[in-house]
Amino acid sequence: MKLNKNHIYDGLVTLTWKDDAVVLIDQTKLPNKLVYRTFRDYNDVARAIKKLMVRGAPAIGVAGAMGLALACIRSRANSKSDLVIELQHAYDVLRLTRPTAINLLWALERIMKISRRGKTVMEIKQKVVQEVQKMAEEDIEINRRMGKIGSGLFRDGETVMTHCNAGSLATVGYGTALGVIRAVKESGKSIKVIATETRPVLQGSRLTAFELQHDGIDVSLVPDTGVGILMARGVIKRIIVGADRILRTGHVFNKIGTYQIATLARAHNIPFYVAAPLSTFDFKSNVEDVVIEERDSKEVSTMAGKRIVPRGIHIFNPAFDITPPNLITAIITEKGLLKQPLYKAIRNIFRVYGTQHGD
Ligand code: MRU
């Protein structure tokens, strides 16, 4: 991690609340341009989430909460009840942007709770703004804690694989899976990362490669189709990924391709870790209840604006898949390491800390 002289996080910060606006890195422009965009209308934040300007479960959560804060401070409502009705409408718009990452629901609920508790319009506006700033700070702290806990699993000089982008760019800063990698490096161990390209949106080659290079961490790329041969050659010692949702059973919803990497890892006896904050856990749903986002087929049928598939071909483009708990070595959270049997470890940690979703 990049720390400045005051030991404050000094790496890429994906989104911030500044001067009553949301400022975020437009990730659709990476790696060629580092562009920051400012939003003052929650509808624009919703569009930014849909278009993947901001993506990654924790970042989507905080962006959604900040969107709701924009709706709150811009509201002209004169009474608490009118304000809450307006916020409920903004909540619905933001909630519908992306269905799979539970962090979005968690973050929006957190803001709604604050607004329902407030007594006056003025008080609600103040408290909601304070809360989104707190959420952004907490996100970095949680990732740093997860990093410290996870870094003990890695030995000096290892080469590890990651999929998609679970880094600074998927959070407010520091990252979940890449946060652990940053913490390994900070602990004085050397580490090499192999990032998968992550077709079709290329979060691995565009974002993970960009941010690790930005922080001076050794990173190489492999096409998604090259994962098997690298494992068979013994190049990869461990795998670490993030998550969009983890069920009480230990089923992990994450970027499409995670399941096949976990399956190959098991076939080659390679430890497979998931790093995720408690806000990524969903205690209510069963596997079949979770909506897996199906994205536009153009993400697959075109490359750099050019069609690469014959017209009339049906395309499947699910954005996420499900890795069953038996393929996971351990889950790294900010409260500790969850080992097998995962359902028991998850139950125990939530008995101590309560569910983040208030259920
Ligand atoms: O479609 P995306 O880019 O939002 O998908 C992101 C992922 O799948 C990440 O691995 C996940 O959100 C964890 S981010 C810390």
Side-chain angles (χ1 to χ4, degrees), residues 123-188:
E123 185 196 327
I124 294 173
K125 289 187 178 188
Q126 263 173 7
K127 292 243 163 93
V128 163
V129 169
Q130 280 167 7
E131 192 69 8
V132 293
Q133 288 170 321
K134 190 170 151 207
M135 282 167 89
E137 281 164 24
E138 269 176 20
D139 176 87
I140 297 178
E141 277 167 36
I142 285 172
N143 293 338
R144 288 178 64 177
R145 255 183 269 148
M146 237 180 322
K148 278 209 178 105
I149 292 168
S151 66
L153 297 164
F154 294 74
R155 298 207 187 111
D156 188 30
E158 283 181 340
T159 297
V160 305
M161 175 173 273
T162 189
H163 184 57
C164 191
N165 173 268
S168 301
L169 290 165
T171 59
V172 176
Y174 200 64
T176 56
L178 299 191
V180 173
I181 287 168
R182 287 189 167 90
V184 172
K185 199 176 174 217
E186 282 156 37
S187 72

Side-chain angles (χ1 to χ4, degrees), residues 25-26 41 44 78 155 170 189 203 215 330 343 350 353:
I25 296 177
D26 180 349
D41 183 325
D44 294 331
N78 292 319
R155 298 207 187 111
K189 294 180 235 176
Q203 288 93 334
D215 281 11
Y343 75 94
F350 281 96
Y353 297 104

Side-chain angles (χ1 to χ4, degrees), residues 50-68:
K50 263 192 196 156
K51 284 187 180 168
L52 309 186
M53 275 187 201
V54 58
R55 32 65 51 201
I60 295 172
V62 178
M66 288 183 176
L68 209 44

Side-chain angles (χ1 to χ4, degrees), residues 106-121:
W106 164 82
L108 294 174
E109 290 291 349
R110 187 163 152 175
I111 298 304
M112 287 309 291
K113 212 178 267 173
I114 295 283
S115 53
R116 281 188 213 106
R117 260 193 229 140
K119 291 195 178 64
T120 63
V121 168

